[in-house]
Amino acid sequence: MDRRASRARRSGRSRRARRVAAGGNRRRAHLGARRDPQRHETRVHPIVRVHPPRSARNVPAAHQRRRARLESSRGTSASRPHRRRRSCEDHRIAPGRGEDALEKIRGNRMQLAMLGLGKMGGNMVQRLLGGGHKVVAYDVDPRRPAELAALGAAPATTLDEVIAALQPPRVCWAMVPAGKITEELVNSLAARMQKGDIIIDGGNSNFKDSQRRAKELAERGIHFCDAGTSGGIWGLKVGYCLMVGGAPEAYAIIEPALKTLAPEGGLMHTGPAGSGHFVKMVHNGIEYGLMTAYAEGFEILKTSPFGQLDLPKIAGIWRNGSVVRSWLLDLLHDALEKDPGLDGIRGYVEDSGEGRWTVQAAIDQNVPAPVITLSLLMRIASRQDESFSAKVQAALRNEFGGHAVKKS
């Protein structure tokens, strides 16, 4: 066996590898080494390879011709026109959703009927008309459709007129009080509508009723959408927050109208039928708690040991930079500006049902909700001129401890 081959196998390297290594050692020895006095180690100068300029390389003639053709077709950088960067004015800005910009709202237009032209329904018709939609306006009071007819709505005084004025798939939006009135209106519409038509309930109905109605109407081929609607009398100007439940295919049909009614970012398809009213129910339960917290806080301020504090001014400064600022606080500030002592208002607070349903849902779902629950109870307590419960407590204190009572 060849001795050199045997040594190569024993060293684990081929002859070529040893030759390359030896060449590298010779190059390093040729370049020389420099000692770093601080690190006391040998540092070797790197080998730098200098490439010739691109123009000096041997570029194939075919490549040169192709490059020349490209440059002639594009032109030189000096001859090419300068590409101007787009400024803010170049970009299309989405139109506003305020009262002054309703006529600028873009999107598909649709036809629908609004049934119930009260404080919210009438304003919603105006906003829809401003967005370019065709609206049939109906109310049990014939004066209201006539008033909106002057703004461009098609008035209707009977449900038959409503249905006759609409093209399939017909869309009827009910804005009436929850309960019996909504039930009767939905049933009356369903008796006149056809497969593929859509009924929207924009009132504050119980979500369980909405689930039931959706199931019953689905058997007839009629879609039902529940639209939790928040915005109150200010919705015409700033838009309505809409929480809409229903089948996706029905939502897609009514979406153009929803986008006109809602402000930017104030619209959501919450899920199947019933979910819209469920979300709105909890929304109102939270509203109960917020209102009660403001009410309690301002009563503490009113009875402070520092005399008569300026409540309107306190509400005003809290609107700027404070962690408790909100639209509700804005409204409270306006109310206190008009009547600092609220002397013209009696402390009697109604509830429309959503707070009760929220508390019941919390119980059903085993969720503790003490703030919302107590805010509901405070509303109930506000309606009592004389509490029999308080009388019982006073009587018991007198009986077991002889404590004095105040005679009526």
Side-chain angles (χ1 to χ4, degrees), residues 162-176:
V162 171
I163 300 301
L166 296 173
Q167 297 294 324
R170 301 171 184 84
V171 177
C172 291
W173 189 314
M175 285 299 295
V176 296

Side-chain angles (χ1 to χ4, degrees), residues 394-406:
L396 287 173
R397 292 183 76 248
N398 178 258
E399 291 296 327
F400 70 68
H403 299 288
V405 296
K406 291 187 177 182

Side-chain angles (χ1 to χ4, degrees), residues 84-93:
R84 183 176 65 87
R85 296 184 65 181
R86 297 180 72 184
S87 65
C88 295
E89 289 78 8
D90 295 327
H91 293 275
R92 188 181 299 276
I93 300 174

Side-chain angles (χ1 to χ4, degrees), residues 311-317 319 328-338:
L311 299 186
K313 190 169 184 179
I314 292 172
I317 64 167
R319 298 165 64 201
L328 287 175
L329 185 60
D330 293 341
L331 298 177
L332 176 58
H333 173 260
D334 294 343
L336 291 173
E337 283 281 339
K338 299 172 187 175

Side-chain angles (χ1 to χ4, degrees), residues 31-87:
L31 290 170
R34 183 178 65 185
R35 190 172 183 81
D36 190 327
Q38 294 182 355
R39 297 180 61 88
H40 302 289
E41 62 182 14
T42 301
R43 300 180 64 186
V44 179
H45 293 286
I47 300 173
V48 180
R49 178 176 294 177
V50 180
H51 294 281
R54 189 176 185 86
S55 58
R57 297 185 196 177
N58 294 325
V59 181
H63 290 187
Q64 293 180 7
R65 288 194 297 271
R66 181 172 179 272
R67 183 177 179 183
R69 285 196 303 271
L70 288 173
E71 289 182 352
S72 62
S73 63
R74 293 176 181 172
T76 63
S77 59
S79 63
R80 285 196 296 267
H82 176 64
R83 188 173 182 179
R84 183 176 65 87
R85 296 184 65 181
R86 297 180 72 184
S87 65

